[in-house]
Amino acid sequence: MAPLRFSANVSWLFPELPSLAARLRAAGSSGFEAAEVGWPYGEPPEALARTAQEVGLQLVLINTPPGDREKGEMGLGAVPGRQAAFRDGLEQAVLYAKALGCPRIHLMAGRVPQGADRAAVRGEMDTVFLENLRHAAGVLAQENLVGLLEPINTRITDPRYFLDTPQQAAAILEKVGRPNLQLQMDIFHWQIMDGNLTGNIREFLPLVGHVQVAQVPGRGEPGSPGELNFPYLFQLLEDEGYKGFVGCEYQPRGDTVEGLSWLRSYWDKRGRPQAGQ
């Protein structure tokens, strides 16, 4: 069983540093081999790619653009009437992914429209999402890229988010039926929505292309106090043969580097993956 590979989410880690480039440098100097960025679109992709290369980081994940944040948008994949904007955003994400050498794009589903009843609009949003995902799968396949669907919890983080359970995401993936669309498993969201992590990880891991971690309920680093037993969960992922990256998408409780003691302990125990693993 190979040790897990970890990715620094520089949209979350090293918040004391003002730029993505500075955060990438900090991630590299902290021992990470990979990084992910939520929305890199405020900086030229060539500059980010150059910085990552300089510090030996592989970029492994970006998100599609969120849409109009001032109007409360958080992704557009399932939002009725925003199909053209989703496809424009997808094109931008593909350009960035190619420039960054990044193989995965999180296709953000978006929120139930303000004032709408979730149950009343679910059918229409399902239809829009399926159409957009079929389009996205074709676009991504031309560039040898993978699209990811991430359920986000609606209990705490985003009550209006459309895609909120692994069961819902798996059903959508089955309907679309494209091999380059996969599931993004953020353990923080899965625990809050459903618990049963051992069963859900074993059931859905064959669909998973990327994992993210944070402690529950505070969304701190895995070594912070909370509900989740990360040594057990990391061992479970290893035992189940997970080969992808584990993204560190959490809010550091203090200094980011000091808060990485949990990861240094993991590396001390399990070693670091060899190149190509």
Side-chain angles (χ1 to χ4, degrees):
M1 294 175 292
L4 298 174
R5 301 183 295 169
F6 290 89
S7 167
N9 190 312
V10 295
S11 297
W12 289 72
L13 302 189
F14 311 103
E16 67 278 4
L17 300 176
S19 70
L20 290 179
R23 295 181 184 192
L24 288 171
R25 292 190 188 97
S29 63
S30 298
F32 285 98
E33 63 168 313
E36 54 198 70
V37 185
W39 297 308
Y41 306 108
E43 302 190 30
E46 296 80 9
L48 293 176
R50 188 163 52 248
T51 299
Q53 186 175 25
E54 288 171 357
V55 298
L57 286 174
Q58 177 186 358
L59 272 295
V60 298
L61 177 68
I62 62 174
N63 296 347
T64 49
D68 191 336
R69 298 293 300 278
E70 292 186 0
K71 293 183 178 179
E73 291 183 327
M74 189 66 168
L76 301 171
V79 181
R82 296 289 276 151
Q83 290 93 322
F86 170 79
R87 296 181 184 200
D88 289 343
L90 176 67
E91 289 186 15
Q92 185 182 22
V94 168
L95 288 174
Y96 266 75
K98 290 170 62 179
L100 295 170
C102 177
R104 299 170 199 84
I105 300 174
H106 168 205
L107 307 171
M108 299 194 71
R111 291 170 170 156
V112 173
Q114 188 74 43
D117 177 74
R118 177 181 293 270
V121 299
R122 178 159 183 166
E124 181 183 10
M125 294 188 74
D126 266 331
T127 298
V128 170
F129 204 19
L130 291 170
E131 290 175 354
N132 279 335
L133 290 175
R134 292 187 180 106
H135 169 81
V139 171
L140 296 174
Q142 293 176 3
E143 305 295 344
N144 198 30
L145 298 172
V146 171
L148 299 174
L149 274 61
E150 180 190 16
I152 294 176
N153 83 80
T154 50
R155 296 184 189 275
I156 298 174
T157 302
D158 196 335
R160 288 173 39 225
Y161 204 75
F162 175 67
L163 187 68
D164 64 354
T165 68
Q167 292 83 1
Q168 181 189 4
I172 290 171
L173 287 172
E174 184 176 6
K175 289 178 183 177
V176 178
R178 302 295 173 86
N180 66 327
L181 297 186
Q182 299 174 352
L183 185 57
Q184 182 170 321
M185 177 174 70
D186 189 322
I187 287 174
F188 172 80
H189 295 306
W190 287 30
Q191 168 68 4
I192 289 171
M193 287 304 295
D194 195 45
N196 188 34
L197 286 178
T198 299
N200 282 335
I201 288 172
R202 286 176 172 158
E203 178 179 357
F204 295 111
L205 198 62
L207 303 177
V208 169
H210 192 73
V211 172
Q212 291 175 327
V213 294
Q215 186 57 272
V216 177
R219 209 167 190 178
E221 53 265 34
S224 61
E227 300 175 11
L228 299 181
N229 179 348
F230 276 101
Y232 170 82
L233 292 172
F234 292 154
Q235 187 63 55
L236 177 63
L237 289 171
E238 288 186 32
D239 292 346
E240 293 297 312
Y242 178 66
K243 303 299 185 186
F245 283 94
V246 177
C248 301
E249 185 180 279
Y250 59 76
Q251 298 168 337
R253 301 293 90 181
D255 179 80
T256 299
V257 176
E258 291 181 4
L260 288 170
S261 58
W262 65 271
L263 182 53
R264 290 189 288 271
S265 295
Y266 178 87
W267 283 335
D268 288 344
K269 178 183 177 184
R270 293 291 292 117
R272 304 193 191 200
Q274 299 300 310
Q277 282 189 337

